Amino acid sequence: MQEIHTLCVYCGASSGRDSMFTEHARAFGAACAARGLGIAFGAGGIGLMGTVAEAALAGGGRVVGVIPRALESEIPATGLTELIVVDDMHARKRKMFELADAFVSLPGGLGTLDETVEMVTWRQLGLHDKPIVLANSGGYWDPLVSLFDHVVATGFAHGDAADLYTVAPSIQGVFDALGV
Protein backbone atom coordinates (compact mmCIF):
# COMPACT_ATOMS: atom_id res chain seq x y z
CA MET A 1 0.00 0.00 0.00
CA GLN A 2 1.30 3.45 -0.90
CA GLU A 3 1.97 6.02 1.78
CA ILE A 4 -1.11 8.00 2.75
CA HIS A 5 -0.89 11.78 3.01
CA THR A 6 -4.32 12.98 1.85
CA LEU A 7 -7.75 11.49 2.38
CA CYS A 8 -10.65 12.19 0.09
CA VAL A 9 -13.59 12.48 2.46
CA TYR A 10 -17.15 11.93 1.31
CA CYS A 11 -19.91 12.94 3.71
CA GLY A 12 -23.19 14.75 3.98
CA ALA A 13 -24.00 18.39 3.38
CA SER A 14 -26.54 17.67 6.12
CA SER A 15 -25.80 16.63 9.69
CA GLY A 16 -28.44 13.92 9.85
CA ARG A 17 -30.86 13.40 12.71
CA ASP A 18 -28.46 11.86 15.22
CA SER A 19 -25.89 14.14 16.87
CA MET A 20 -23.52 11.14 16.94
CA PHE A 21 -22.83 11.75 13.23
CA THR A 22 -21.65 15.29 13.96
CA GLU A 23 -19.57 14.12 16.92
CA HIS A 24 -17.89 11.48 14.77
CA ALA A 25 -17.27 13.96 11.93
CA ARG A 26 -15.68 16.38 14.38
CA ALA A 27 -13.52 13.63 15.89
CA PHE A 28 -12.51 12.45 12.42
CA GLY A 29 -11.45 15.93 11.26
CA ALA A 30 -9.47 16.54 14.45
CA ALA A 31 -7.81 13.12 14.20
CA CYS A 32 -6.79 13.77 10.59
CA ALA A 33 -5.10 17.01 11.64
CA ALA A 34 -3.40 15.34 14.61
CA ARG A 35 -1.99 12.65 12.30
CA GLY A 36 -0.84 15.18 9.69
CA LEU A 37 -3.29 13.85 7.11
CA GLY A 38 -4.65 16.31 4.58
CA ILE A 39 -8.28 16.28 3.53
CA ALA A 40 -9.76 16.76 0.06
CA PHE A 41 -13.53 17.19 0.09
CA GLY A 42 -16.47 18.80 -1.67
CA ALA A 43 -15.85 22.23 -0.09
CA GLY A 44 -19.17 22.52 1.72
CA GLY A 45 -19.32 24.62 4.86
CA ILE A 46 -22.49 22.97 6.12
CA GLY A 47 -23.47 19.59 7.52
CA LEU A 48 -20.88 16.93 8.17
CA MET A 49 -18.67 18.39 5.42
CA GLY A 50 -18.40 21.66 7.29
CA THR A 51 -17.86 19.89 10.60
CA VAL A 52 -14.99 17.77 9.29
CA ALA A 53 -13.31 20.77 7.65
CA GLU A 54 -13.74 23.02 10.67
CA ALA A 55 -12.31 20.42 13.07
CA ALA A 56 -9.34 19.65 10.82
CA LEU A 57 -8.56 23.33 10.31
CA ALA A 58 -8.88 24.04 14.04
CA GLY A 59 -6.24 21.36 14.60
CA GLY A 60 -3.89 22.94 12.07
CA GLY A 61 -4.76 20.49 9.31
CA ARG A 62 -4.55 20.94 5.55
CA VAL A 63 -8.01 21.01 3.93
CA VAL A 64 -8.62 21.40 0.20
CA GLY A 65 -12.15 21.96 -1.06
CA VAL A 66 -13.19 21.21 -4.63
CA ILE A 67 -16.38 22.88 -5.83
CA PRO A 68 -18.09 22.99 -9.22
CA ARG A 69 -18.64 26.45 -10.67
CA ALA A 70 -22.44 25.93 -10.57
CA LEU A 71 -22.32 25.43 -6.78
CA GLU A 72 -19.98 28.34 -6.05
CA SER A 73 -22.91 30.40 -4.78
CA GLU A 74 -23.53 27.77 -2.09
CA ILE A 75 -21.75 28.15 1.20
CA PRO A 76 -18.20 26.83 0.92
CA ALA A 77 -16.26 26.20 4.11
CA THR A 78 -14.21 29.17 5.28
CA GLY A 79 -10.50 29.22 6.00
CA LEU A 80 -9.67 26.36 3.67
CA THR A 81 -6.05 25.74 2.80
CA GLU A 82 -7.14 25.86 -0.82
CA LEU A 83 -10.42 26.13 -2.72
CA ILE A 84 -10.36 24.68 -6.23
CA VAL A 85 -13.18 25.67 -8.58
CA VAL A 86 -13.87 23.22 -11.41
CA ASP A 87 -16.31 23.20 -14.34
CA ASP A 88 -18.74 20.49 -13.20
CA MET A 89 -19.43 17.56 -10.89
CA HIS A 90 -17.43 15.13 -13.04
CA ALA A 91 -14.39 17.39 -12.87
CA ARG A 92 -14.91 17.68 -9.10
CA LYS A 93 -14.87 13.91 -8.66
CA ARG A 94 -11.80 13.56 -10.87
CA LYS A 95 -9.90 16.30 -9.01
CA MET A 96 -10.74 14.87 -5.59
CA PHE A 97 -9.61 11.45 -6.86
CA GLU A 98 -6.30 12.93 -8.07
CA LEU A 99 -5.66 14.67 -4.74
CA ALA A 100 -6.31 11.57 -2.62
CA ASP A 101 -4.24 8.61 -1.50
CA ALA A 102 -7.31 6.94 0.07
CA PHE A 103 -11.06 7.47 0.40
CA VAL A 104 -13.16 7.65 3.56
CA SER A 105 -16.94 7.75 3.47
CA LEU A 106 -18.67 9.12 6.53
CA PRO A 107 -22.48 9.13 6.63
CA GLY A 108 -24.12 11.21 3.93
CA GLY A 109 -26.85 11.39 1.34
CA LEU A 110 -27.20 10.46 -2.29
CA GLY A 111 -24.10 12.39 -3.35
CA THR A 112 -21.99 10.56 -0.76
CA LEU A 113 -23.47 7.26 -1.89
CA ASP A 114 -22.75 8.11 -5.54
CA GLU A 115 -19.13 9.04 -4.84
CA THR A 116 -18.53 6.01 -2.65
CA VAL A 117 -19.96 3.49 -5.09
CA GLU A 118 -18.09 5.12 -7.97
CA MET A 119 -14.74 4.72 -6.20
CA VAL A 120 -15.55 1.08 -5.36
CA THR A 121 -16.46 0.53 -9.02
CA TRP A 122 -13.29 2.24 -10.26
CA ARG A 123 -11.27 0.02 -7.97
CA GLN A 124 -13.08 -3.08 -9.24
CA LEU A 125 -12.25 -2.01 -12.81
CA GLY A 126 -8.57 -1.61 -11.89
CA LEU A 127 -8.57 2.17 -12.37
CA HIS A 128 -7.01 2.59 -8.94
CA ASP A 129 -5.84 0.58 -5.95
CA LYS A 130 -6.36 3.21 -3.29
CA PRO A 131 -7.95 2.10 -0.01
CA ILE A 132 -11.65 2.82 0.53
CA VAL A 133 -13.00 2.86 4.08
CA LEU A 134 -16.62 3.15 5.12
CA ALA A 135 -16.78 4.86 8.53
CA ASN A 136 -19.72 2.88 9.85
CA SER A 137 -20.93 5.29 12.54
CA GLY A 138 -23.86 3.70 14.30
CA GLY A 139 -24.10 1.04 11.59
CA TYR A 140 -24.88 3.69 8.96
CA TRP A 141 -23.33 1.74 6.07
CA ASP A 142 -24.79 -1.67 7.04
CA PRO A 143 -27.57 -1.46 4.40
CA LEU A 144 -25.03 -0.68 1.66
CA VAL A 145 -22.80 -3.56 2.74
CA SER A 146 -25.88 -5.83 2.69
CA LEU A 147 -26.67 -4.61 -0.82
CA PHE A 148 -23.11 -5.32 -1.96
CA ASP A 149 -23.44 -8.83 -0.45
CA HIS A 150 -26.75 -9.27 -2.29
CA VAL A 151 -25.14 -8.23 -5.58
CA VAL A 152 -22.49 -10.93 -5.04
CA ALA A 153 -25.05 -13.55 -3.90
CA THR A 154 -27.16 -13.02 -7.02
CA GLY A 155 -24.16 -13.36 -9.31
CA PHE A 156 -23.76 -9.76 -10.45
CA ALA A 157 -20.35 -9.34 -8.82
CA HIS A 158 -17.53 -11.70 -7.89
CA GLY A 159 -17.14 -12.99 -4.36
CA ASP A 160 -14.07 -10.87 -3.81
CA ALA A 161 -16.07 -7.63 -4.15
CA ALA A 162 -15.90 -7.16 -0.37
CA ASP A 163 -12.11 -6.91 -0.73
CA LEU A 164 -12.56 -3.61 -2.57
CA TYR A 165 -13.44 -1.68 0.60
CA THR A 166 -13.13 -1.89 4.37
CA VAL A 167 -15.88 -1.27 6.86
CA ALA A 168 -14.61 0.45 10.01
CA PRO A 169 -16.81 0.23 13.11
CA SER A 170 -15.38 3.45 14.59
CA ILE A 171 -13.38 6.54 13.74
CA GLN A 172 -10.28 4.90 15.26
CA GLY A 173 -11.07 1.89 13.08
CA VAL A 174 -10.76 4.07 9.97
CA PHE A 175 -7.17 4.96 10.84
CA ASP A 176 -6.40 1.38 11.85
CA ALA A 177 -7.69 0.17 8.46
CA LEU A 178 -5.49 2.72 6.70
CA GLY A 179 -2.46 1.98 8.87
CA VAL A 180 -2.06 5.65 9.83
Side-chain angles (χ1 to χ4, degrees):
M1 180 164 52
Q2 74 177 37
E3 209 169 312
I4 296 173
H5 301 283
T6 302
L7 301 177
C8 177
V9 180
Y10 302 129
C11 59
S14 171
S15 295
R17 290 193 177 108
D18 190 330
S19 62
M20 168 199 57
F21 298 133
T22 299
E23 292 166 21
H24 288 185
R26 187 174 292 112
F28 178 77
C32 285
R35 288 171 168 77
L37 294 169
I39 293 174
F41 81 121
I46 56 175
L48 297 187
M49 283 199 291
T51 300
V52 167
E54 182 180 288
L57 290 166
R62 185 174 34 84
V63 182
V64 177
V66 183
I67 192 165
R69 200 168 312 289
L71 298 180
E72 240 182 323
S73 61
E74 291 190 2
I75 305 165
T78 57
L80 295 175
T81 308
E82 183 178 2
L83 179 64
I84 300 171
V85 180
V86 295
D87 288 335
D88 55 35
M89 290 298 282
H90 295 292
R92 175 198 223 179
K93 288 180 185 182
R94 172 55 70 182
K95 186 62 176 176
M96 289 169 51
F97 170 81
E98 291 168 356
L99 293 169
D101 301 309
F103 305 91
V104 176
S105 293
L106 296 162
L110 297 177
T112 302
L113 182 60
D114 168 58
E115 293 162 328
T116 300
V117 171
E118 184 168 40
M119 285 305 107
V120 172
T121 302
W122 284 13
R123 190 163 186 208
Q124 179 185 34
L125 294 172
L127 301 177
H128 75 87
D129 194 29
K130 300 175 184 183
I132 302 166
V133 182
L134 307 179
N136 202 24
S137 299
Y140 184 81
W141 291 112
D142 289 349
L144 178 63
V145 172
S146 292
L147 178 59
F148 287 160
D149 291 344
H150 175 72
V151 170
V152 170
T154 55
F156 289 98
H158 298 287
D160 59 357
D163 296 338
L164 300 171
Y165 60 90
T166 302
V167 180
S170 65
I171 296 304
Q172 179 58 46
V174 170
F175 299 108
D176 292 343
L178 294 172
V180 294

